[in-house]
Amino acid sequence: GAGVSQSPRYKVAKRGQDVALRCDPISGHVSLFWYQQALGQGPEFLTYFQNEAQLDKSGLPSDRFFAERPEGSVSTLKIQRTQQEDSAVYLCASSLQALTGASGNTIYFGEGSWLTVV
Amino acid sequence: GDSVTQMEGPVTLSEEAFLTINCTYTATGYPSLFWYVQYPGEGLQLLLKATKADDKGSNKGFEATYRKETTSFHLEKGSVQVSDSAVYFCALRRGSTLGRLYFGRGTQLTVWP
């Protein structure tokens, strides 16, 4: 597609429910990121994939958060037993090449999935 | 650790006014620096970047200069337009962190006609 596509755009979950958020990166992009953006804050890094390999998951806040990219294209972020503090916008981003240097390639962001836990 | 601090908003200006949004950073080594913009209802978009000291990034009339001596990357525009109303995020990236971006909290800009 033309850009990074995320679904659902809006999700309301009851506390304790599991949710799955999908990201379709730009076709052919090697690098894929997930970020969490709380209200009034900047995005915070969650995890990074290079193709299907999850090379950095240091930003995942707890073991309730899990991300996968099994075929190196579409990615899913899963949150188990959601809690109110999980309410945020979840941003997916992709980049054409592997980012191993400070200059790197441009990172393109999707519009985000807005999660509200009630 | 790595971090970015930017001036708190909201910032409200009249059309054609001069804009400055301050950004300072803390990082080891030599990060790349970025300004991203988020228009209402849209995703984050890269506005401009600079990859080494004294570089100036520019786009759409916006400019920012990478100042290593003051660890700053202030965003400026000489004459803002109503269409510039958005949230602006300063960010840094180091090569050793596989492209991970560290963002500031964002500054809301509203421009009135």
Side-chain angles (χ1 to χ4, degrees):
Chain A
V4 179
S5 178
Q6 294 187 244
S7 61
R9 288 294 315 279
Y10 304 94
K11 174 70 178 178
V12 178
K14 291 184 178 179
R15 191 172 53 183
Q17 276 187 335
D18 297 348
V19 300
L21 307 176
R22 176 188 169 102
C23 173
D24 282 88
I26 295 172
S27 179
H29 277 201
V30 167
S31 294
L32 186 144
F33 301 83
W34 284 98
Y35 284 81
Q36 180 191 57
Q37 186 177 11
L39 189 64
Q41 304 292 320
E44 296 277 346
F45 171 83
L46 293 177
T47 188
Y48 166 67
F49 289 87
Q50 184 177 308
N51 294 309
E52 70 278 3
Q54 189 175 21
L55 298 187
D56 187 349
K57 55 181 180 179
S58 62
L60 295 176
S62 75
D63 59 7
R64 296 185 297 103
F65 287 71
F66 172 77
E68 60 182 5
R69 194 186 186 198
E71 298 179 358
S73 55
V74 171
S75 177
T76 303
L77 176 67
K78 297 179 180 178
I79 309 173
Q80 297 177 324
R81 305 181 303 282
T82 52
Q83 301 178 5
Q84 284 191 315
E85 60 262 32
D86 300 334
S87 296
V89 179
Y90 290 85
L91 300 172
C92 179
S94 70
S95 184
L96 180 60
Q97 296 181 13
L99 296 174
T100 55
S103 56
N105 301 122
T106 298
I107 297 175
Y108 297 89
F109 283 81
E111 294 180 356
S113 290
W114 295 67
L115 173 65
T116 302
V117 181
V118 297
Chain B
D2 296 343
S3 66
V4 173
T5 302
Q6 61 182 105
M7 65 183 286
E8 293 192 17
V11 174
T12 304
L13 295 173
S14 297
E15 207 165 25
E16 299 184 2
F18 184 85
L19 169 71
T20 300
I21 301 178
N22 290 338
C23 171
T24 57
Y25 68 90
T26 301
T28 56
Y30 301 93
S32 292
L33 301 174
F34 305 83
W35 277 99
Y36 279 82
V37 59
Q38 188 170 36
Y39 297 104
E42 300 184 15
L44 282 168
Q45 301 174 26
L46 178 64
L47 180 60
L48 53 84
K49 69 179 182 181
T51 58
K52 61 183 185 297
D54 299 324
D55 267 3
K56 178 185 285 187
S58 61
N59 186 25
K60 299 182 180 180
F62 291 88
E63 293 183 340
T65 300
Y66 189 148
R67 301 286 188 199
K68 187 163 177 62
E69 63 275 16
T70 55
T71 61
S72 66
F73 193 55
H74 304 321
L75 182 68
E76 296 182 338
K77 186 173 184 181
S79 176
V80 292
Q81 305 299 313
V82 172
S83 57
D84 294 328
S85 297
V87 182
Y88 292 82
F89 292 91
C90 186
L92 71 83
R93 190 170 82 205
R94 284 195 293 119
S96 59
T97 55
L98 293 175
R100 174 175 179 169
L101 285 162
Y102 294 83
F103 286 90
R105 295 182 61 171
T107 302
Q108 171 76 54
L109 170 66
T110 301
V111 180
W112 295 100

